[in-house]
Amino acid sequence: MSFKIVTDSCANLTDKQIEEYGVEIISLKYHIKDEEFDSYIKGKKTDYARTYKLLREKEMITTSLVSRESCDSVILPLLENGEDVLILSFSSGLSGTYQNIRLAVEDYKEKFPQRKIMLVDTLCASLGEGLLVHYCVKEKNKGKTIEEVAAWAEENKGSICHIFTIEDLFFLKRGGRLSGTSAVLGTLIGIKPMLYTADDGKLYVTGKVRGRKASMDALVDSLEKQGKNIDGQDIFIVHGDCEQDALYVGNEIKKKYKIGNMVYNLIDPVIAAHAGPGTLAVFFIGKER
């Protein structure tokens, strides 16, 4: 039986990936002053230039969870067309989006009892979520059933490593994750926190380095420390409008490993509003998070 894979805009998949994978995207929304925007609009080229400009000016950008309307607009047409649906959701440790989708899924199951509707809390974020989608699409293309792909996602999501660094501590401070004094002092002496997404899908500081280059090199070194059979892997890198830094990290990884595909993309505004411009992250399969 045919089934579709659905994820949300926080997976940060590129427009090319979305088209090639044949996945559907539920968009989260963000707000700038009195204007509301979708992080992703099907068929429209993604352009976040204005958003990043405003973030650099410290403009307040607020975000919303996935709405029922957004779920309905993507999932109902698939169910009405006779498709089964596997939904891979943004980490419940970082957002209530998973819970909102779960409530919608319960209603869909009542309305479409003949359809298989499966939901996975990826406990992943950004292109880490995207990397899990990437591998699930590969499993689907092998001819696996919806149940088999969902089981694969549940079994393997804990091996998706998310290692990242923040350029401007202001955004962590504004989000309440860092004291004002620590943020000011850290910025003055050039401290760059290294963070990761743990097994519970939440963010934790794993260390601190001094200077931007040291933080980028730490991202490269994380593959050796945590990676599992890196040669041949597809490596995903996401950036907060700092493409040259992302390319530096990617090129340094390529010098060390014979990797498969290297994918780069911008961080979407919903995540960028909390992480800020200059954020850099690398995603790969590891022994543990």
Side-chain angles (χ1 to χ4, degrees), residues 21-219:
Y21 296 169
V23 298
E24 298 292 336
I25 306 294
I26 303 171
S27 182
L28 277 75
K29 297 179 184 294
Y30 61 101
H31 307 82
I32 302 174
K33 296 181 179 177
D34 295 328
E35 293 184 83
E36 181 178 78
F37 302 88
D38 283 293
S39 281
Y40 172 79
I41 300 174
K42 187 173 183 177
K44 183 176 180 180
K45 183 174 176 56
T46 301
D47 182 4
Y48 299 143
R50 176 181 179 238
T51 303
Y52 275 101
K53 178 178 182 294
L54 291 173
L55 282 171
R56 286 192 167 89
E57 294 169 355
K58 303 300 192 288
E59 181 71 53
M60 175 64 78
I61 295 179
T62 59
T63 61
S64 300
L65 305 179
V66 159
S67 68
R68 178 57 182 269
E69 180 183 13
S70 295
C71 290
D72 288 350
S73 67
V74 172
I75 298 172
L76 283 180
L78 300 175
L79 298 173
E80 291 166 350
N81 195 43
E83 298 269 16
D84 294 334
V85 179
L86 170 60
I87 307 160
L88 303 170
S89 170
F90 186 37
S91 172
S92 63
L94 296 172
S95 168
T97 286
Y98 167 76
Q99 296 298 337
N100 282 6
I101 297 176
R102 183 180 61 80
L103 292 173
V105 165
E106 290 175 1
D107 289 344
Y108 300 150
K109 287 181 176 180
E110 289 187 12
K111 187 175 181 181
F112 299 90
Q114 74 280 23
R115 299 268 62 82
K116 295 176 182 177
I117 309 166
M118 307 191 74
L119 172 63
V120 173
D121 176 4
T122 68
L123 300 176
C124 296
S126 189
L127 268 182
E129 182 182 352
L131 187 58
L132 187 67
V133 173
H134 168 77
Y135 282 115
C136 285
V137 169
K138 284 191 171 186
E139 292 300 304
K140 178 177 184 284
N141 290 342
K142 292 176 185 177
K144 300 289 182 66
T145 65
I146 186 172
E147 293 90 352
E148 289 171 329
V149 177
W152 189 95
E154 291 286 2
E155 183 178 348
N156 290 277
K157 63 187 184 184
S159 65
I160 305 290
C161 292
H162 306 51
I163 311 297
F164 63 104
T165 185
I166 301 294
E167 172 65 7
D168 189 340
L169 298 173
F170 167 85
F171 295 92
L172 287 179
K173 172 184 173 293
R174 185 159 71 179
R177 293 178 172 85
L178 193 66
S179 74
T181 301
S182 296
V184 171
L185 291 176
T187 299
L188 287 175
I189 63 176
I191 293 297
K192 307 299 179 186
M194 305 301 299
L195 302 98
Y196 73 108
T197 303
D199 290 339
D200 60 4
K202 297 180 181 180
L203 306 182
Y204 297 93
V205 175
T206 186
K208 298 176 183 178
V209 297
R210 181 170 293 183
R212 179 64 165 181
K213 185 175 184 300
S215 70
M216 293 190 291
D217 290 339
L219 291 178

